[in-house]
Amino acid sequence: MGRRRLRTALTAAALATVTLSGAAPPLATAVTASRPAAAPDWSVAVVDSTTARYTPSTIGGWSYPVGLYLYGQYRTYRRTHDPRYLAYIKSYVDRFVKSDGSIDQSFDSLDSMQAGRLLVILHHETGQDRYRKAAQKIRDRLDTYPRTSDGGFWHADSSSRAHQLWADGVYMVNPFLVEYGKEFGDSAYTDDEASRQLYVYGSHLQVAGGLLRHAYDESRTASWADPGTGLAPEHWCRAVGWYAMAVTDVLDALPAGHPRRPQLLAIFRSLAAGLEKYQDPATGRWFQIMDKGGRSDNWTETSCSSMFAYALSRGAQRGYLDRHYADVARRGYEGVLAKLSVGTDGRTDLAGISVGTNVGDYAYYAARTRATNDLHGLGAFLIMNEQLRGD
């Protein structure tokens, strides 16, 4: 559905602003027929639709997809100041964090750490010390967390993930780290650790042309690992998207004179060139298997397209990348908006999102379920939309 048709459908549906209890008052920004329709606030529409579908108790357990989505909701809150959005996040987190700051999580995988960003956010917003105590459990876990010989955090502390670096993992821990450091006065450690992780991961995963492979196995024992390089065989788009967002967020946090800043900028600029090369000219989106868009069973994927649009736009805005990447980002943004529609229930639907995915071969990635309203896609959409909506 094009943007004009989508705008008309949303206005006609008068998409409700949803309270935590599920009540749905009329859309406050609905326009009258005598004036041209204003561009809809897609972040508000997606948040209101998602919080109408799920309560803080039913949206899911402690996990990175929920953490990603709620981080996107927080970005929307920071602009709109709608207190319901922050209350929803707090209600979710308070399922897991007790009043004394204890949290029943072992943090034995990077995936389990991503929602820790919400702990830092809630400490910042409420000042309640229990969120600091819970966040510190993640920070302290990293002191004993297993690493590769050159210092990269394993994807998980388990036999099936031992010695492995997945591009996904850099987003699961490093934005949390730099935000934790800023909030709690630990930036000397967190900036160095986060930038080191991005460099180590990038040095292994990035190949000629700028794209990153999904994963690397230092032991070369995983079924997918090349016996010579240890690399996974394919460039899976969301794995690369996680890296793109993470390097953007960490660069935002690093001091201008940080010694690893030039290394991260070089990785990011090489990646951006690869993203521009492999962007689908027909849709503006990116393919599930990034460099094989000509194959008939490949398909453009919404979550990674949102991630790339965000990272390229932010990178161009902040001077990490050449300004022309803002145009590449804008094409990606328009391509993602084309996957957004409004259902008969008046709620948004975002299509073409790959479900959670392990490391595999081409056939495995191509056959992944293409979901609608999967939280991977909704969270990435909100992060992108908050960056690009005002361009």
Side-chain angles (χ1 to χ4, degrees):
M1 181 182 291
R3 292 185 72 187
R4 185 175 302 169
R5 290 174 57 204
L6 184 54
R7 183 180 303 131
T8 302
L10 182 62
T11 303
L15 180 66
T17 303
V18 183
T19 66
L20 291 182
S21 63
L27 181 68
T29 55
V31 296
T32 64
S34 61
R35 290 185 289 128
D41 189 328
W42 295 123
S43 294
V44 167
V46 167
V47 170
D48 287 349
S49 296
T50 306
T51 55
R53 290 181 171 114
Y54 306 105
T55 71
S57 297
T58 62
I59 194 169
W62 182 267
S63 67
Y64 77 87
V66 181
L68 176 74
Y69 166 74
L70 290 177
Y71 176 75
Q73 181 165 312
Y74 178 69
R75 294 282 292 258
T76 308
Y77 164 77
R78 291 283 292 172
R79 175 175 57 83
T80 65
H81 306 291
D82 189 325
R84 296 170 306 127
Y85 296 170
L86 186 63
Y88 187 104
I89 297 169
K90 186 177 186 299
S91 183
Y92 165 80
V93 170
D94 287 353
R95 291 168 49 198
F96 308 99
V97 178
K98 298 183 175 64
S99 59
D100 64 357
S102 59
I103 179 170
D104 187 21
Q105 301 290 324
S106 61
F107 299 116
D108 284 339
S109 71
L110 299 186
D111 285 353
S112 68
M113 299 178 188
Q114 193 281 333
R117 295 183 92 174
L118 306 178
L119 303 173
V120 179
I121 285 166
L122 288 174
H123 181 271
H124 185 77
E125 295 289 346
T126 71
Q128 293 181 20
D129 197 50
R130 60 175 170 154
Y131 301 118
R132 178 193 63 80
K133 292 177 179 177
Q136 187 175 346
K137 185 173 181 181
I138 302 175
R139 161 66 180 87
D140 291 347
R141 176 68 180 96
L142 294 176
D143 290 339
T144 59
Y145 195 82
R147 300 170 182 252
T148 59
S149 61
D150 52 358
F153 292 137
W154 292 3
H155 193 63
D157 188 3
S158 64
S159 59
S160 64
R161 302 289 184 263
H163 311 288
Q164 296 174 20
L165 308 180
W166 296 22
D168 321 44
V170 294
Y171 190 80
M172 303 306 159
V173 68
N174 295 303
F176 160 80
L177 264 179
V178 294
E179 290 159 8
Y180 177 96
K182 181 179 180 181
E183 182 72 10
F184 302 115
D186 196 18
S187 291
Y189 163 72
T190 60
D191 289 355
D192 284 350
E193 186 71 87
S195 58
R196 178 191 188 188
Q197 293 300 320
L198 281 160
Y199 175 72
V200 169
Y201 274 69
S203 67
H204 288 296
L205 296 174
Q206 192 169 50
V207 298
L211 299 184
L212 282 74
R213 297 287 178 85
H214 188 172
Y216 161 77
D217 178 14
E218 184 177 42
S219 71
R220 272 74 165 170
T221 59
S223 61
W224 45 260
D226 182 281
T229 65
L231 289 172
E234 300 293 350
H235 304 289
W236 177 49
C237 71
R238 191 159 67 227
V240 183
W242 291 125
Y243 191 97
M245 289 205 301
V247 75
T248 305
D249 290 354
V250 170
L251 283 168
D252 281 353
L254 287 184
H258 194 280
R260 287 205 186 271
R261 192 174 188 86
Q263 297 172 329
L264 299 189
L265 286 170
I267 292 170
F268 192 16
R269 289 165 182 167
S270 179
L271 172 57
L275 295 180
E276 183 175 21
K277 177 179 179 179
Y278 290 107
Q279 185 179 34
D280 178 27
T283 66
R285 297 186 295 272
W286 282 266
F287 285 93
Q288 171 82 333
I289 303 94
M290 296 185 66
D291 59 337
K292 296 175 180 173
R295 294 181 59 163
S296 61
D297 57 345
N298 205 352
W299 47 285
T300 58
E301 200 278 329
T302 303
S303 70
C304 76
S305 298
S306 297
M307 293 171 172
F308 296 146
Y310 163 75
L312 294 173
S313 173
R314 184 72 175 168
Q317 180 187 63
R318 299 280 292 179
Y320 311 146
L321 304 175
D322 186 85
R323 281 295 307 169
H324 87 274
Y325 285 106
D327 296 328
V328 182
R330 172 57 58 176
R331 291 194 292 274
Y333 180 56
E334 297 287 348
V336 172
L337 288 179
K339 303 298 285 187
L340 188 66
S341 63
V342 177
T344 56
D345 58 0
R347 298 174 183 168
T348 57
D349 290 306
L350 186 65
I353 306 163
S354 175
V355 295
T357 297
N358 291 319
V359 182
D361 59 12
Y362 177 92
Y364 170 75
Y365 295 117
R368 297 304 286 159
T369 298
R370 308 178 201 185
T372 297
N373 298 329
D374 185 283
L375 294 177
H376 296 86
L378 296 180
F381 175 86
L382 292 172
I383 293 168
M384 172 195 69
N385 197 58
E386 287 305 297
Q387 170 65 28
L388 278 139
R389 64 181 300 277
D391 275 14

